[in-house]
Amino acid sequence: MTSKNPVGGDRSSTTTKNPGAAPPSVHGGVLARMGAAMTTRSRWVFGTWLIVLVALGAAAPSVFSSLAGAGWQANGSESVQVRELAQEHFGGNSSAAVQVVVHSDTKSVSDPAVQQVLGEATALFAADDRFGEVIAPQPGMSISPDGHTGILIAGANASTDEMVKAVDDHKDELTALSGDGIEVYPTGASALWSDFNKANHEAMIKAEMFSWPVTLAIMVLAFGSLVAAGLPLLLTLAGLVASAGGLVLLNEVTPISVWAMNFAMMFALALGIDYALFIVARFRDALSKSGNPRLAVAETMDTAGKAVVLSGLTVLVSLSAVLLVPAPAVRTMAVGIMLAVTFVLAATLTLLPAVLGKLGSKVNAGSLPYAKRQKHRSPGFEKWGNLLHKHPWPFAIGAVVVLVGLSIPVFGLKVAMPSIEVVPTDAPVRQGYELVQAQMGEGAPGMLQIIAPTSEADATATAAMSTEGIAMVTPPMPAMDGSDYVMLQAIPNVDPSDDAMGSILNQLRSDLPSQALVGGAPAENLDLQQALNDYLPLIIGVILTLGFILLLVALQAPLIAVLGTVVSLLSTAAAFGVAKLIFQDGHGAGLLGFTPQGFLDGWGPVFFFAMIFAIAMDYTVFLLSTAKEHYEESGDPKVAHVMGLAHSGRVIAAAAAVMVAVFFTFALAEPLPPKEMGIILGVAVLLDAVLIRLVLLPVLLRLTGHAAWWSPAWLRRVLPSIKFSH
């Protein structure tokens, strides 16, 4: 290290206060100059962000009511074709239709009081043009054998998203028809998503509200300063407001799943704090050396800023691979997170430097007593780095044994689309579902729909009746618009979420005449699950390849880029191994307050892999960019290894603690999917930060020495020149 100021000139010149003198010159790359520009033009920066936040913030409050509630389908699949044909030719009697279960222990469906309730429900549907034909309960088809339960079907005359909103609008009116010994419950796929989205949204909001004070407490401990600790939360809040408004506007162009905002809220909070921690910690260190806020911001952005940009790009690249899955809900969840990350990244590169430049030394205001001695270079992590350098093998072997041991259960992992158990027990859709099962059989809530040409009606009915696993087939019903189609309803003899359902569907499709198509809600779930399974290897391959390329470009070193990519797989595999033990096998289910489904929700592997890998690479970039900075300055791999930990260890530990706290608060949610999300991501971050970024990856730097940073001359000529030293 030289006595020169890291941002140019000697240190005495930077601390001299002369109002008439020109500001000291800024040395460094584009990000250094950009950071300095943000400080000198802070009013413009604040003004621009104020306009953006006011404009997008005006739309933000309507985000949950505006966004789409459905989209869980495999575009182009056979089941989606059936739904589209049913809506076009059969009065909307598709999987998106709303089924109203009417039951009375003392009255039959034909009783005048029950008929009056059915008439009121019919009138309610007739007044809303989102509903198509209304089909009254039919004996032998939609009336139970004892005559006390009937199902009224209101056809879908709108998109699946609009049908979920239609249920949102009318389910209270429908359930209000209950009384005088008559129970009324809206059910079906549209009602399922309506109730589930509501429960999920409430759980996410509660988790977010709980996580903010916990996060602030962790950051106060990490920074030792109330002002410095508050900056990441303000930055994240700006990113959240902007992304919420952006999603509402984007929804006007194409339907965006409400789940996009749920995930965006969580990811924006976690990553926004990560980035701000890295930037603020580096700024405080640079300011303590130069005394000039503008030069400190320039140095910060030239070093930590580069790491943040590369980390953000890695997150965006990982999530972009999810866009390959032909499912609107899955794609738009990725879009939501990408939008939130983009806004958080923009705020980190523009708003945060402007705020830091304005605050200057006031960034340390409200310091706790112990923080007076706190430095960016952590003596504790420096000692840890030296210990790893002296004894690399025991730590490496121990970390690998733990990670591999936790990864082994992943080979028995089962996945499927969520069952009715993800909905709260008091939700109307679940009460109606269970009532239909009790009165009409296990498979009654999951009827399969068969559409065939009129000429093949008899052959289709005969084949369906002879298929093993099919309990009943309704007579062929001609199309309402006179087209050359018939529809049959096939009732399986198992619950829609039963493992045997997939075999029954496959057998039915193979038994039917070639022009007959099979759909219905269970078929849509199974077709989506198949699409997710088919695309998973491709998505993993794309994410690993793009992640490696980004690390290679950032570090200019093939060996450490490969190692950094490969070790990220260990924490991912271990997290899914733990998920199998908890959510499939039920270990700890009583403690966490849920009933295991016997499988992990089907979108988990695709989506969680992308998210875990993105987070893992986040810490990889923070650690390795800091190590590379010291290697560029010293040329000594030991200095790179030890000082990389000394200067990034505390930030990684604090950022991981915040992420784990944020994610684990979602484990408190009642609906199962956010609980799965919180625990899987929380375990992944915990394992990744502790065992990989703070143990295994530093040990690999120690064992590979100079080779970790070696690069052939031809590769250096091809790659853009990126330096992390200032």
Side-chain angles (χ1 to χ4, degrees):
M1 302 293 289
T2 68
S3 61
K4 294 278 186 181
N5 176 7
V7 290
D10 60 41
R11 290 179 184 172
S12 60
S13 67
T14 63
T15 55
T16 301
K17 295 181 180 179
N18 183 356
S25 59
V26 170
H27 296 257
V30 173
L31 287 176
R33 294 193 295 274
M34 188 176 108
M38 295 301 114
T39 64
T40 55
R41 296 176 176 83
S42 58
R43 288 187 180 181
W44 284 97
V45 176
F46 297 149
T48 301
W49 270 99
L50 182 62
I51 292 170
V52 169
L53 291 177
V54 168
L56 294 177
S62 66
V63 63
F64 288 105
S65 59
S66 299
L67 299 188
W72 296 92
Q73 63 189 47
N75 287 348
S77 63
E78 183 174 327
S79 56
V80 170
Q81 292 178 55
V82 169
R83 189 182 71 220
E84 291 169 349
L85 287 170
Q87 294 203 194
E88 183 179 355
H89 303 294
F90 293 89
N93 185 13
S94 68
S95 60
V98 177
Q99 301 168 18
V100 180
V101 180
V102 180
H103 170 79
S104 174
D105 290 333
T106 58
K107 301 178 179 69
S108 68
V109 173
S110 60
D111 186 279
V114 176
Q115 286 297 312
Q116 182 179 345
V117 168
L118 290 170
E120 290 174 4
T122 301
L124 189 152
F125 291 129
D128 190 329
D129 59 11
R130 289 174 293 186
F131 296 101
E133 296 291 331
V134 178
I135 304 172
Q138 304 290 317
M141 294 175 61
S142 49
I143 295 179
S144 63
D146 66 3
H148 287 276
T149 304
I151 302 174
L152 178 79
I153 298 173
N157 194 32
S159 69
T160 53
D161 294 316
E162 286 300 318
M163 292 309 299
V164 173
K165 289 180 182 177
V167 176
D168 290 341
D169 294 341
H170 295 296
K171 64 183 173 186
D172 289 342
E173 296 172 78
L174 288 168
T175 54
L177 297 175
S178 298
D180 192 26
I182 301 171
E183 302 168 50
V184 181
Y185 304 107
T187 66
S190 297
L192 170 66
W193 287 113
S194 173
D195 280 355
F196 178 60
N197 290 340
K198 178 176 180 289
N200 184 60
H201 168 54
E202 291 172 352
M204 299 289 271
I205 293 296
K206 286 180 183 176
E208 286 282 353
M209 292 302 101
F210 184 78
S211 66
W212 281 75
V214 173
T215 295
L216 181 59
I218 293 171
M219 286 190 298
V220 168
L221 290 174
F223 279 124
S225 160
L226 295 175
V227 172
L231 284 178
L233 288 179
L234 289 175
L235 176 83
T236 303
L237 190 60
L240 270 175
V241 170
S243 57
L247 285 172
V248 172
L249 297 180
L250 189 58
N251 190 61
E252 296 297 317
V253 180
T254 183
I256 301 293
S257 172
V258 68
W259 281 63
M261 189 58 207
N262 291 335
F263 279 95
M265 285 171 61
M266 181 181 65
F267 231 63
L269 179 59
L271 278 185
I273 288 168
D274 254 18
Y275 295 160
L277 271 169
F278 205 52
I279 295 291
V280 174
R282 187 56 186 260
F283 171 77
R284 295 172 80 192
D285 180 58
L287 186 65
S288 70
K289 292 185 292 186
S290 73
N292 185 297
R294 181 169 173 269
L295 296 179
V297 167
E299 178 183 340
T300 298
M301 300 311 293
D302 204 33
T303 52
K306 283 178 187 170
V308 166
V309 170
L310 290 163
S311 169
L313 288 175
T314 304
V315 173
L316 294 173
V317 161
S318 296
L319 291 166
S320 67
V322 179
L323 300 177
L324 295 171
V325 179
V330 176
R331 283 178 173 171
T332 57
M333 283 195 296
V335 168
I337 297 179
M338 291 169 71
L339 190 65
V341 171
T342 300
F343 276 117
V344 165
L345 196 56
T348 306
L349 299 178
T350 58
L351 182 59
L352 187 57
V355 172
L356 291 173
K358 204 73 175 171
L359 283 174
S361 60
K362 292 178 183 176
V363 73
N364 295 314
S367 292
L368 301 177
Y370 75 87
K372 305 293 185 183
R373 303 181 303 276
Q374 196 179 62
K375 296 180 180 178
H376 186 253
R377 174 176 169 177
S378 166
F381 279 101
E382 185 174 351
K383 289 179 183 177
W384 175 246
N386 281 314
L387 180 63
L388 291 179
H389 196 270
K390 289 178 183 177
H391 309 287
W393 285 109
F395 290 102
I397 293 170
V400 170
V401 166
V402 172
L403 290 167
V404 170
L406 291 175
S407 300
I408 290 173
V410 82
F411 293 104
L413 184 66
K414 296 178 182 177
V415 291
M417 293 307 291
S419 69
I420 192 66
E421 291 182 0
V422 301
V423 181
T425 53
D426 60 349
V429 69
R430 182 161 179 177
Q431 292 175 306
Y433 183 102
E434 292 172 349
L435 184 58
V436 169
Q437 277 193 321
Q439 296 293 317
M440 301 182 181
E442 280 289 302
M447 286 192 291
L448 296 170
Q449 294 184 315
I450 305 170
I451 293 181
T454 306
S455 60
E456 294 186 344
D458 293 338
T460 300
T462 301
M465 278 299 298
S466 62
T467 299
E468 187 176 352
I470 297 297
M472 187 186 88
V473 178
T474 63
M477 180 178 71
M480 292 184 178
D481 63 356
S483 57
D484 190 32
Y485 290 109
V486 293
M487 175 188 284
L488 304 87
Q489 307 269 9
I491 301 179
N493 58 13
V494 297
D495 183 88
S497 61
D498 193 285
D499 284 345
M501 192 68 209
S503 301
I504 293 171
L505 177 64
N506 292 334
Q507 188 63 50
L508 182 61
R509 283 175 169 169
S510 65
D511 289 348
L512 296 182
S514 60
Q515 291 184 291
L517 302 174
V518 183
E524 289 184 23
N525 282 342
L526 290 164
D527 285 347
L528 175 56
Q529 185 61 63
Q530 188 60 52
L532 290 166
N533 294 345
D534 292 344
Y535 277 88
L536 181 60
L538 175 63
I539 288 170
I540 290 174
V542 169
I543 289 174
L544 291 178
T545 302
L546 294 178
F548 164 73
I549 291 171
L550 274 172
L551 271 187
L552 182 62
V553 170
L555 302 173
Q556 319 272 302
L559 180 59
I560 198 61
V562 169
L563 293 175
T565 305
V566 170
V567 295
S568 295
L569 281 174
L570 278 174
S571 59
T572 307
F576 279 114
V578 172
K580 190 262 183 186
L581 295 175
I582 295 174
F583 295 106
Q584 183 173 315
D585 299 342
H587 298 293
L591 180 65
L592 293 168
F594 73 95
T595 302
Q597 300 180 93
F599 53 82
L600 184 69
D601 282 333
W603 45 269
V606 165
F607 213 75
F608 292 152
F609 180 87
M611 295 174 77
I612 293 170
F613 191 81
I615 294 168
M617 294 296 275
D618 187 31
Y619 295 131
T620 301
V621 170
F622 285 179
L623 173 65
L624 294 181
S625 64
T626 308
K628 180 77 184 300
E629 178 184 350
H630 287 279
Y631 186 76
E632 288 172 353
E633 291 175 350
S634 68
D636 186 343
K638 180 180 179 181
V639 171
H641 160 223
V642 175
M643 289 297 102
L645 268 176
H647 285 268
S648 69
R650 183 192 287 127
V651 174
I652 290 175
V658 168
M659 273 205 181
V660 170
V662 169
F663 292 146
F664 277 174
T665 55
F666 288 86
L668 304 174
E670 183 180 345
L672 195 53
K675 193 184 293 286
E676 288 179 348
M677 176 176 63
I679 290 175
I680 293 172
L681 295 181
V683 167
V685 171
L686 188 63
L687 294 174
D688 190 83
V690 174
L691 294 179
I692 292 182
R693 308 309 148 193
L694 298 180
V695 178
L696 192 54
L697 200 53
V699 166
L700 289 173
L701 287 177
R702 157 69 175 86
L703 296 176
T704 52
H706 286 287
W709 307 109
W710 174 83
S711 180
W714 66 266
L715 185 61
R716 290 195 298 271
R717 287 193 297 270
V718 171
L719 296 175
S721 178
I722 296 177
K723 300 286 185 183
F724 285 96
S725 58
H726 183 73

